Amino acid sequence: MTVLIDPPFWPAHGTVFSHLVSDASLEELHAFAAAAGIPERAFDGDHYDVAARHFERLVAAGATPVGGKELVRRLAASGLRIPARERPSKIVPALRERWSRLLPEDPELGEDLLSRWGEPHRNYHSRVHLLNVLEALDLLLPGSGLPVERHRPLLLAAWFHDAVYQGVPGQDEEDSARLAERGLGALSVHGALAAGEAAEVARLVRLTTGHDPAPDDLTGQLLCDADLSVLAWPVQRYARYLASVRADYAHVSDADFARGRAAVVEQLLALEPLFHSPLAQELWLDAARGNLRGELEAFRRAESR
């Protein structure tokens, strides 16, 4: 592992700041920062912001000083850099624009959902995940054969599927489905949604509990495929996903988390098929199974120590 730090340059709070990053692993970056006494609140997705007064001490502790451009290059090459479009300043306008095209009749509902997805206790189940699911559907929908009139319930289900998130599997999905029923019910009454659309959205949201839609449920298959597309991310981006999932369960001990996560991975590997649509299988199946098997093997190695 190499921990990198650029010169103090970025002004804020009456001083200037450096960026502290790893070009190999977020886990090791967090371990380095913790050992150096850098608080968790200084972490910003893919780096720690550290005040100038810490620069020499961090270099003495083992951080390698590099120029700002080199730090960005190494971070990007590692796969750990968060893309600019996933930063808060970019992602909120992008999601707001998507909502305005999807359901312009109710901007307030869109703002409520954006607020929910941005709750501070969320790590993986965040606006980034919502955007990733919507972008996965952008890939899957054009050649899916799903009639155009069924696109809107599917996209609304993506917006609602983790709109309630307290880290309680099953209950979160049920509460999100009920939120959809309440939030969309009035729109059905006033004609902004077609009859049955609100109920279809709630049904789809409930499907994300087990990701096991019926063989003839094309809409459900597309939502589940998009929701699980994260499993096929490149190795370092997948590591970032795992770190954010762990952060969502920070209240759980390492041993309990490992047992619970291993059970989830085994359940996902047992799904047949893991992805349903031909395009999702082509794009994501091999990489997803490789990531899941690697994760499970890591748990087994840890248990044998």
Side-chain angles (χ1 to χ4, degrees):
M1 180 195 91
T2 302
V3 172
L4 309 171
I5 188 168
D6 61 3
F9 175 77
W10 308 97
H13 309 297
T15 185
V16 287
F17 283 76
S18 296
H19 299 130
L20 186 74
V21 310
S22 167
D23 66 357
S25 164
L26 286 179
E27 290 79 4
E28 291 180 300
L29 174 63
H30 292 317
F32 181 92
I38 303 301
E40 291 182 7
R41 66 178 180 274
F43 183 65
D44 186 17
D46 56 11
H47 69 276
Y48 282 85
D49 293 310
V50 291
R53 66 182 182 275
H54 298 301
F55 180 82
E56 296 297 338
R57 180 172 65 83
L58 292 171
V59 171
T64 300
V66 296
K69 289 183 179 179
E70 176 65 8
L71 181 142
V72 170
R73 186 190 71 78
R74 299 266 293 270
L75 183 62
S78 74
L80 296 174
R81 188 184 188 196
I82 295 178
R85 65 183 181 79
E86 294 182 3
R87 301 281 179 185
S89 62
K90 301 287 187 181
I91 198 168
V92 170
L95 287 170
R96 188 173 284 137
E97 195 275 333
R98 282 177 176 266
W99 180 267
S100 71
R101 287 188 276 117
L102 179 63
L103 200 61
E105 296 88 351
D106 198 340
E108 292 83 5
L109 179 57
E111 290 301 313
D112 177 67
L113 291 171
L114 269 176
S115 177
R116 289 175 179 275
W117 282 96
E119 291 165 337
H121 68 279
R122 295 171 180 253
N123 293 279
Y124 170 60
H125 296 85
S126 67
R127 291 166 178 158
V128 172
H129 172 58
L130 172 59
L131 180 61
N132 287 332
V133 171
L134 292 170
E135 289 182 336
L137 289 172
D138 289 344
L139 288 174
L140 297 178
L141 270 171
S144 67
L146 188 73
V148 172
E149 64 271 15
R150 292 168 62 188
H151 287 198
R152 184 165 65 177
L154 171 58
L155 295 171
L156 285 170
W159 276 86
F160 276 97
H161 82 284
D162 277 323
V164 177
Y165 179 74
Q166 296 299 327
V168 184
Q171 189 61 53
D172 287 340
E173 289 82 0
E174 179 60 28
D175 290 345
S176 295
R178 291 178 180 177
L179 180 70
E181 289 168 340
R182 294 195 303 272
L184 298 174
L187 292 172
S188 297
V189 170
H190 296 292
L193 291 181
E197 277 193 270
E200 173 67 353
V201 172
R203 182 190 74 82
L204 291 168
V205 170
R206 291 185 173 101
L207 273 180
T208 62
T209 303
H211 297 96
D212 190 21
D216 61 349
D217 183 4
L218 177 57
T219 317
Q221 291 173 4
L222 290 168
L223 179 62
C224 290
D225 285 353
D227 194 27
L228 294 183
S229 62
V230 61
L231 301 177
W233 280 357
V235 173
Q236 291 295 352
R237 195 178 180 198
Y238 190 74
R240 195 168 81 224
Y241 151 68
L242 293 180
S244 64
V245 171
R246 181 67 186 97
D248 273 342
Y249 292 91
H251 57 287
V252 177
S253 71
D254 287 343
D256 287 344
F257 176 80
R259 282 192 293 270
R261 177 65 188 178
V264 170
V265 171
E266 289 174 338
Q267 179 186 13
L268 289 168
L269 282 170
L271 287 176
E272 188 54 51
L274 177 59
F275 293 104
H276 302 82
S277 67
L279 182 57
Q281 291 177 3
E282 177 187 340
L283 291 173
W284 302 320
L285 183 57
D286 289 344
R289 284 180 172 162
N291 283 335
L292 290 168
R293 287 169 181 154
E295 191 180 349
L296 194 58
E297 186 59 33
F299 284 128
R300 288 170 177 164
R301 285 196 304 268
E303 283 181 349
S304 65
R305 290 173 189 162

